[in-house]
Amino acid sequence: MQRFFLVIISVIVIAAVNFAQENTASEDSIEVTVIDSYVTPEIPHTFLLTFFSSSDCKSKVIIDKKYEYKVSDSLTVNHSVKIDLTGLSFKKKSVPFVIMVQDSLGKVFRSDNYEFDLPSEVKVQSESNFLLLCLFGGAVFALPSPDYVSTDNGNYFSLTKEIPIVSFRSANFNYPFGYFSAEYSYIFKAQDKNFFRLGYKQLIDVPDIQYISPGIDWFTNFKGFNGISAELSIGWIKIFSTFTIYTRYRFNIKPSDSSSKFHEFSIGLYSSFFSVYF
């Protein structure tokens, strides 16, 4: 019986000691409360982090387990930092981070795990050989689009290259709201071979496909043949999370000469990767 009581007392003592240690650890720990953690849509994309600590401490943040930045060099309860993400690579759109804090005695505490989301236009590393993927993407982006040109004088083959210059962000769509573009076309064997265009395209989300895009352009051949174009593009399939295969019909006319009208049918790849965003 005495042994039984000794065992019970031992268990109670051990439990009391553990409870006291847990309470002491809880009292000594520093709690972190995150107020803001997001990436600005403007370029350069910047990670903004603001948080409070339960007592004065120094702090730093570790992003994606590999990028470490100081937040507060002196003891404080208010912490904030702005981190330029230019040149950093991530494997996912949701990027994990943790906050490390150090009290006046040098004890270090780790926060819970948090995440911030990258803007839709920010590219992530989807393959181990990221440089090869970039080179391949650049080569694909440089490819011109084949066109079929129909005029009153005959039908021709053409190559054209459109570059989105300025794009406007959309809050609820993974494409821009719209964009201004520059385009050069070369029509083989036609009397007027070279055309340059400036235009605006609107992108409209459509279920089951990527988008439809009405647009209007001004064009010139630099020899007096100036006119306007109306077009409609349909984005069908996205590849490599960067390019979208589209088809387009475009009607071109010189306002002062209705006989100069011609039609274009084309297929190409759309990407806003090199565009300036607003």
Side-chain angles (χ1 to χ4, degrees):
M1 182 66 69
Q2 289 179 347
R3 291 181 179 178
F4 176 77
F5 282 117
L6 288 175
V7 172
I8 295 298
I9 292 172
S10 299
V11 170
I12 293 174
V13 170
I14 293 172
V17 171
N18 289 337
F19 180 76
Q21 290 176 346
E22 289 176 0
N23 280 348
T24 301
S26 176
E27 292 174 357
D28 290 343
S29 66
I30 298 177
E31 299 295 326
V32 170
T33 303
V34 174
I35 306 302
D36 279 321
S37 61
Y38 66 94
V39 177
T40 60
E42 297 80 17
I43 295 176
H45 299 297
T46 304
F47 174 47
L48 302 182
L49 174 63
T50 302
F51 61 91
F52 294 145
S53 57
S54 59
S55 60
D56 290 335
C57 62
K58 299 178 181 180
S59 62
K60 63 182 179 180
V61 60
I62 301 175
I63 300 175
D64 204 18
K65 299 180 180 180
K66 57 183 177 179
Y67 302 116
E68 183 175 313
Y69 297 90
K70 289 183 179 179
V71 179
S72 300
D73 284 328
S74 58
L75 298 175
T76 182
V77 296
N78 300 315
H79 309 260
S80 64
V81 67
K82 297 180 179 179
I83 300 172
D84 186 352
L85 300 182
T86 303
L88 306 186
S89 62
F90 304 103
K91 294 182 179 180
K92 299 186 299 181
K93 288 289 186 180
S94 296
V95 180
F97 71 94
V98 296
I99 298 168
M100 307 296 292
V101 297
Q102 183 180 40
D103 65 12
S104 59
L105 300 177
K107 292 183 179 179
V108 177
F109 303 93
R110 176 191 175 102
S111 73
D112 294 331
N113 295 321
Y114 300 99
E115 289 184 346
F116 63 84
D117 293 326
L118 297 173
S120 60
E121 65 271 18
V122 176
K123 309 307 171 188
V124 297
Q125 183 177 350
S126 58
E127 296 183 3
S128 57
N129 196 337
F130 186 58
L131 178 60
L132 181 61
L133 180 63
C134 289
L135 293 174
F136 176 74
V140 172
F141 180 80
L143 290 175
S145 301
D147 281 11
Y148 175 79
V149 180
S150 177
T151 73
D152 291 341
N153 299 322
N155 301 320
Y156 306 94
F157 174 73
S158 170
L159 291 176
T160 184
K161 182 59 188 176
E162 177 189 71
I163 299 178
I165 300 175
V166 177
S167 299
F168 301 96
R169 301 181 188 278
S170 174
N172 56 357
F173 184 39
N174 59 356
Y175 290 95
F177 174 80
Y179 64 92
F180 286 101
S181 66
E183 183 178 345
Y184 170 74
S185 299
Y186 182 84
I187 305 176
F188 294 87
K189 299 182 180 181
Q191 181 178 355
D192 297 300
K193 295 181 172 61
N194 301 285
F195 285 91
F196 175 76
R197 289 181 173 86
L198 292 174
Y200 175 77
K201 318 297 168 66
Q202 186 79 38
L203 295 173
I204 303 170
D205 186 15
V206 175
D208 300 324
I209 59 175
Q210 297 296 316
Y211 62 79
I212 61 172
S213 177
I216 187 169
D217 305 275
W218 168 83
F219 69 83
T220 181
N221 70 343
F222 302 105
K223 296 180 180 180
F225 189 177
N226 307 318
I228 58 174
S229 307
E231 66 176 61
L232 181 67
S233 300
I234 301 177
W236 296 104
I237 303 171
K238 179 172 282 192
I239 57 175
F240 303 121
S241 300
T242 303
F243 302 99
T244 302
I245 298 176
Y246 71 84
T247 55
R248 177 174 62 197
Y249 166 73
R250 179 159 56 198
F251 176 74
N252 308 270
I253 190 170
K254 182 178 180 180
S256 60
D257 183 5
S258 60
S259 64
S260 63
K261 65 181 183 294
F262 61 98
H263 308 266
E264 291 179 85
F265 303 88
S266 61
I267 182 171
L269 293 174
Y270 163 77
S271 175
S272 61
F273 184 76
F274 297 101
S275 184
V276 177
Y277 274 82
F278 288 94

